[in-house]
Amino acid sequence: MGGGFGGLYTAKALANTNVNVTLIDKRNFHLFQPLLYQVATGTLSPADISAPLRSVFSKSKNTKVLLGEVSDIDPKTQQVVMGDQSISYDTLIVATGANHSYFGKDNWQELAPGLKTVEDAIEMRRRIFMAFEAAEKETDLEKRRALLTFVIVGGGPTGVELAGAIAELAYQTLKEDFRNVDTSEAKILLLQGGNRILPHISPELSEEATSALQKLGVVIQTQTRVTNIENDIVTFKKGDEVQEVASKTILWAAGVQGSPMGRILAERTGVECDRSGRVIVEPDLSIKGYNNIFVIGDLANFSHQNGSPLPGVAPVAKQEGEYVARLIKLRLQGSTLSQFSYNDVGSLAMIGQNLAVVDLGFLKLTGFLAWVFWLVIHIYFLIEFDTKLVVVFQWAWNYITRNRRSRLITGKEAFVSPQTINDSNPYKATETRRTVNV
Amino acid sequence: MGGGFGGLYTAKALANTNVNVTLIDKRNFHLFQPLLYQVATGTLSPADISAPLRSVFSKSKNTKVLLGEVSDIDPKTQQVVMGDQSISYDTLIVATGANHSYFGKDNWQELAPGLKTVEDAIEMRRRIFMAFEAAEKETDLEKRRALLTFVIVGGGPTGVELAGAIAELAYQTLKEDFRNVDTSEAKILLLQGGNRILPHISPELSEEATSALQKLGVVIQTQTRVTNIENDIVTFKKGDEVQEVASKTILWAAGVQGSPMGRILAERTGVECDRSGRVIVEPDLSIKGYNNIFVIGDLANFSHQNGSPLPGVAPVAKQEGEYVARLIKLRLQGSTLSQFSYNDVGSLAMIGQNLAVVDLGFLKLTGFLAWVFWLVIHIYFLIEFDTKLVVVFQWAWNYITRNRRSRLITGKEAFVSPQTINDSNPYKATETRRTVNV
């Protein structure tokens, strides 16, 4: 279950075999999450980075796509519960991914939205562009400064990519578009808990990324922890020094936690979860006591390779999915497979329109070359579904025109005066957020 | 006020002149409405047919774009009221367009949504694709038939274009994608009040269109009036014969009425409105008693050319906007302009991927040639904003692949079981609809 990278690649690897595959997802499309930040910053449309699951598998007659949400699992009778119907399985692959973690401060979710779903991206896009609109109308200098201050919490790839994209928006794309406000006065603040951004790549490269972001105009604060978010004010601690920043647009790119299915699985099977709710899996990605239940992708904690769990990135989910598919096919032939091992393809992060960092271990790239490489890699993965060409084209187009075609302000307060952004109460808002959309 | 075709072309014609222009719209983008049906049927993304108003006018320093909704007008003090602020004007151009008319049956709006805004298109897209998803799960044959029955009310361009696009979806694009249901069993019903579809074009062409749609599989009922919509059942009268059809997807492409600004204008200035709420304008598009207030586009009733009001189409709004701009410039030179007259550019309608009808009076086209012509014309207008190339490309791409990239099911019930579509009560639903989005 799950149409993300894990589920998608498992089903792809099992396409047109003698295995009956049922792919369950609550959405009718696969989302290419690594590019979601480009939707949030108005470069791409959601459909550009989505593939309808049915069209991906239309040629594979042994694959059945079901739209719906799994509410429970019964490992004894080998069934998953989906609304009023139950579906029985021989082998179950759980790939329901991860959600944002606000470290227990769940009320921060509405104050500082994260970036996991299309709805999240649309909401971020609305807040970012609405902030500029509100600033254009705002006469109070204090308030205007808060509207032009963007705080990004978390210095991983998503945080870095958001910071870079917003910097380009404020300092380049939108500069000519406003009459009362100078968007280049905008302040973009990137807060990172660790002692450097992009901790998953080499120190030299993360230093390169730091100076590149600073050149773009982003202010980076490392070893900084957010202690409070309230009334459009972010409070954070650097060592013992406490700082406050007034900002109308606070974006969350920090912690993640396994999706609720992990807990359900734990209750039903007794399998262990780690502190961030990820399921501890066996060397073959199955769970203790149930060799016909696999957990892959962001929901899985696989620590059999180097002690620490594999990162929650697309390549890991893809390789895990393909491994499980291979294992299932071999089992049908009475054979089996040695333990899963991740072949690290390296990591990359986009900083600006012609700026990225690439760390393949043996090869380290920065600047334009890295940007092209980043582009090629992503295109290569997008090739998996038909949006590829369109996205390449739009990229080229946006790159040449330095434009943001997709900066539509839509969503919950789309129709009301900008001043009222963030004034809505968390509960009501969280409610409506589920209906804010593509 | 208004960023539609009327407002946009007025402001464009006044760009970089010595006139100070303030363009007020409640959205931050111009929407190319003629292609909205392609968003509703999953071919294009909203951003593909939208242009951020600020980027359109970024180079014109005398043009100021304001995001907000005008709530009132005071012709005495020459001010428009926008939330808590008032903006004074020398000349006011009202181009707030039209909304759907349900002929007094306003509760039909939720049961049979229309197609005016991006939100409408997303909602239609959700209903159309959700119906197929629900049918795939439905075991009851009766209910499945209702899910696979699409009723389009209104045989104008929008109704025809929707019917054609849905026919292509059901009979071509989606045919391979489902396992339990055969989408080619779908029934598409087009109901038209008059005695032929596309009444605005020549009888021969509307006959051509009729047979073309029928070849695609659309069932057309002319001289048919909808008398009731209730519990997913459409009741309609053809002569004295009453028919009922069970359908989960009823789409409205029938009447329109002037936007509320028309009534406000009437109250404040005493100007007359026609039965469908359009403002009766003078030969120079100003309103009686106020030669510095103009009404253009769908909100205007201009009957000085051939007795009957000009149709509510983009070319009329465009020419009216350009006329008013010219008049304003001439007045500043102490000169004036003879009355407005519409130069009819003819009318066209898209039927299928390579099928359209074009009526230029002197030239009538059908089939592939007309389709190409239709494409060229629309591209020509899209050239006005930067999405042109992207749209051409996506079209070509979708045309070659016969694919629907943008068929994302999003919006209010995106997360819940398909069975529950349309079960929400009208009021709650209408509420949430305003937040369903791009």
Side-chain angles (χ1 to χ4, degrees), chain B residues 51-80:
Chain B
L53 287 170
R54 293 198 183 279
S55 67
V56 173
F57 294 104
S58 59
K59 299 265 165 301
S60 165
K61 296 306 178 195
N62 68 314
T63 314
K64 199 166 145 184
V65 176
L66 272 187
L67 183 69
E69 194 160 5
V70 172
S71 53
D72 201 357
I73 298 170
D74 184 348
K76 314 277 171 300
T77 62
Q78 302 195 173
Q79 290 191 321
V80 296

Side-chain angles (χ1 to χ4, degrees), chain B residues 46 193 227 238 290 299 317 419 436:
Chain B
T227 55
K238 185 166 190 163
Y290 297 86
L299 183 59
Q419 272 80 352
V436 175

Side-chain angles (χ1 to χ4, degrees), chain A residues 67 125 137 403 410-411 437-438, chain B residues 67 125 137 386 411 437-438:
Chain A
L67 183 69
R125 186 177 71 183
K137 286 180 165 188
N403 205 336
T410 54
N437 240 311
V438 190
Chain B
L67 183 69
R125 186 176 71 184
K137 285 181 167 186
D386 73 334
N437 241 314
V438 189

Side-chain angles (χ1 to χ4, degrees), chain A residues 26-29 45-52 54-55 57-69 82 84-85 117-119 122 125 129-130 132-133 136-137 175-180 386-391 393-394 397-398 401 403-412 414-418 432 434-438, chain B residues 26-29 45-52 54-55 57-69 82 85 117-119 122 125 129-130 132-133 136-137 175-180 386-391 393-394 397-398 401 403-412 414-419 432 434-438:
Chain A
K26 59 185 174 186
R27 309 310 296 269
N28 72 325
F29 54 90
S45 286
D48 301 331
I49 60 166
S50 307
R54 291 196 184 283
S55 67
F57 294 104
S58 60
K59 300 265 165 297
S60 165
K61 296 306 177 195
N62 67 313
T63 313
K64 199 166 143 183
V65 175
L66 272 188
L67 183 69
E69 195 159 6
M82 215 178 102
D84 44 15
Q85 65 181 141
T117 67
V118 160
E119 287 69 27
I122 300 301
R125 186 177 71 183
F129 289 101
M130 206 60 147
F132 289 107
E133 292 294 336
E136 174 80 349
K137 286 180 165 188
K175 236 168 80 211
E176 297 296 302
D177 288 7
F178 293 83
R179 298 291 173 260
N180 306 333
D386 74 334
T387 67
K388 188 193 93 218
L389 282 176
V390 175
V391 175
F393 185 84
Q394 294 200 335
W397 182 248
N398 293 326
T401 62
N403 205 336
R404 290 286 194 280
R405 283 189 325 95
S406 308
R407 67 168 103 142
L408 283 58
I409 295 175
T410 54
K412 62 175 185 302
F415 295 89
V416 307
S417 150
T432 44
R434 319 195 78 231
T435 75
V436 174
N437 240 311
V438 190
Chain B
K26 59 184 174 187
R27 309 309 297 268
N28 72 326
F29 54 90
S45 286
D48 301 331
I49 60 166
S50 307
R54 293 198 183 279
S55 67
F57 294 104
S58 59
K59 299 265 165 301
S60 165
K61 296 306 178 195
N62 68 314
T63 314
K64 199 166 145 184
V65 176
L66 272 187
L67 183 69
E69 194 160 5
M82 218 179 100
Q85 67 181 137
T117 68
V118 160
E119 287 70 25
I122 300 302
R125 186 176 71 184
F129 289 100
M130 206 61 147
F132 289 107
E133 292 294 337
E136 173 81 348
K137 285 181 167 186
K175 235 167 82 214
E176 298 297 304
D177 288 6
F178 294 84
R179 299 291 172 258
N180 306 335
D386 73 334
T387 67
K388 188 193 94 218
L389 283 178
V390 175
V391 175
F393 186 84
Q394 293 200 337
W397 182 249
N398 293 325
T401 61
N403 206 336
R404 290 285 193 281
R405 283 191 322 97
S406 309
R407 67 169 102 143
L408 283 57
I409 295 175
T410 53
K412 63 175 185 299
F415 295 89
V416 308
S417 150
Q419 272 80 352
T432 44
R434 318 196 78 229
T435 74
V436 175
N437 241 314
V438 189

Side-chain angles (χ1 to χ4, degrees), chain B residues 95-295:
Chain B
T96 50
N99 307 325
H100 279 289
S101 161
Y102 285 84
F103 310 124
K105 304 274 178 45
D106 292 349
N107 63 310
W108 290 2
Q109 183 164 4
E110 171 56 22
L111 308 172
L115 190 59
K116 280 275 171 207
T117 68
V118 160
E119 287 70 25
D120 292 339
I122 300 302
E123 172 62 9
M124 258 196 199
R125 186 176 71 184
R126 187 185 66 76
R127 290 190 186 207
I128 292 167
F129 289 100
M130 206 61 147
F132 289 107
E133 292 294 337
E136 173 81 348
K137 285 181 167 186
E138 186 55 70
T139 48
D140 177 304
L141 283 180
E142 278 290 311
K143 289 183 181 165
R144 179 183 284 188
R145 198 171 300 115
L147 284 163
L148 289 178
T149 302
F150 300 84
V151 178
I152 296 124
V153 185
T158 303
V160 165
E161 287 165 339
L162 278 173
I166 295 172
E168 286 185 329
L169 265 180
Y171 304 141
Q172 292 157 27
T173 313
L174 299 182
K175 235 167 82 214
E176 298 297 304
D177 288 6
F178 294 84
R179 299 291 172 258
N180 306 335
V181 73
D182 175 4
T183 61
S184 59
E185 286 171 4
K187 187 177 171 192
I188 295 134
L189 193 57
L190 181 62
L191 305 180
Q192 164 71 327
N195 58 359
R196 59 188 183 95
I197 60 171
L198 303 174
H200 61 300
I201 64 173
S202 72
E204 314 83 68
L205 278 181
S206 94
E207 214 162 283
E208 293 265 13
T210 303
S211 51
L213 276 175
Q214 284 164 340
K215 253 195 235 82
L216 271 177
V218 177
V219 179
I220 302 173
Q221 298 264 24
T222 56
Q223 288 173 304
T224 300
R225 307 206 164 278
V226 172
T227 55
N228 192 31
I229 302 176
E230 212 171 1
N231 312 326
D232 305 321
I233 292 186
V234 192
T235 313
F236 52 93
K237 251 182 120 176
K238 185 166 190 163
D240 303 337
E241 175 204 354
V242 176
Q243 291 185 46
E244 282 193 348
V245 172
S247 166
K248 274 279 190 186
T249 314
I250 306 157
L251 307 176
W252 194 260
V256 296
Q257 70 192 8
S259 58
M261 194 48 62
R263 244 170 290 110
I264 293 173
L265 210 54
E267 284 166 25
R268 298 284 177 262
T269 67
V271 69
E272 257 183 82
C273 291
D274 65 14
R275 271 170 46 254
S276 44
R278 289 174 298 181
V279 177
I280 313 273
V281 295
E282 300 300 298
D284 65 354
L285 297 171
S286 68
I287 63 173
K288 202 185 238 89
Y290 297 86
N291 66 1
N292 68 332
I293 299 181
F294 297 92
V295 180

Side-chain angles (χ1 to χ4, degrees), chain A residues 286-326:
Chain A
S286 68
I287 63 173
K288 201 185 237 89
Y290 298 87
N291 66 1
N292 69 333
I293 299 182
F294 296 92
V295 180
I296 60 175
D298 291 2
L299 183 59
N301 174 331
F302 180 89
S303 311
H304 304 281
Q305 195 154 342
N306 52 22
S308 63
L310 293 174
V313 295
V316 171
K318 180 175 188 285
Q319 289 180 33
E320 288 178 339
E322 286 163 343
Y323 170 87
V324 169
R326 214 157 49 244

Side-chain angles (χ1 to χ4, degrees), chain B residues 246-426:
Chain B
S247 166
K248 274 279 190 186
T249 314
I250 306 157
L251 307 176
W252 194 260
V256 296
Q257 70 192 8
S259 58
M261 194 48 62
R263 244 170 290 110
I264 293 173
L265 210 54
E267 284 166 25
R268 298 284 177 262
T269 67
V271 69
E272 257 183 82
C273 291
D274 65 14
R275 271 170 46 254
S276 44
R278 289 174 298 181
V279 177
I280 313 273
V281 295
E282 300 300 298
D284 65 354
L285 297 171
S286 68
I287 63 173
K288 202 185 238 89
Y290 297 86
N291 66 1
N292 68 332
I293 299 181
F294 297 92
V295 180
I296 60 174
D298 292 3
L299 183 59
N301 174 331
F302 180 89
S303 310
H304 304 283
Q305 195 154 342
N306 51 21
S308 62
L310 292 174
V313 295
V316 171
K318 180 175 188 284
Q319 290 180 32
E320 289 178 341
E322 286 162 344
Y323 170 87
V324 169
R326 214 157 51 242
L327 181 54
I328 290 170
K329 281 186 280 188
L330 284 168
R331 279 183 180 175
L332 289 175
Q333 299 156 23
S335 166
T336 182
L337 200 57
S338 62
Q339 80 161 64
F340 170 75
S341 84
Y342 173 56
N343 161 27
D344 192 346
V345 294
S347 37
L348 16 137
M350 170 76 112
I351 292 159
Q353 287 271 33
N354 48 13
L355 220 55
V357 289
V358 174
D359 187 349
L360 306 181
F362 65 92
L363 173 66
K364 295 183 180 9
L365 297 172
T366 56
F368 183 73
L369 212 65
W371 182 78
V372 172
F373 185 87
W374 183 94
L375 210 61
V376 171
I377 289 291
H378 282 79
I379 298 314
Y380 172 78
F381 282 110
L382 282 169
I383 207 170
E384 306 285 350
F385 43 88
D386 73 334
T387 67
K388 188 193 94 218
L389 283 178
V390 175
V391 175
V392 183
F393 186 84
Q394 293 200 337
W395 243 326
W397 182 249
N398 293 325
Y399 184 50
I400 296 155
T401 61
R402 289 204 154 282
N403 206 336
R404 290 285 193 281
R405 283 191 322 97
S406 309
R407 67 169 102 143
L408 283 57
I409 295 175
T410 53
K412 63 175 185 299
E413 274 105 1
F415 295 89
V416 308
S417 150
Q419 272 80 352
T420 67
I421 322 170
N422 298 357
D423 292 351
S424 45
N425 87 57

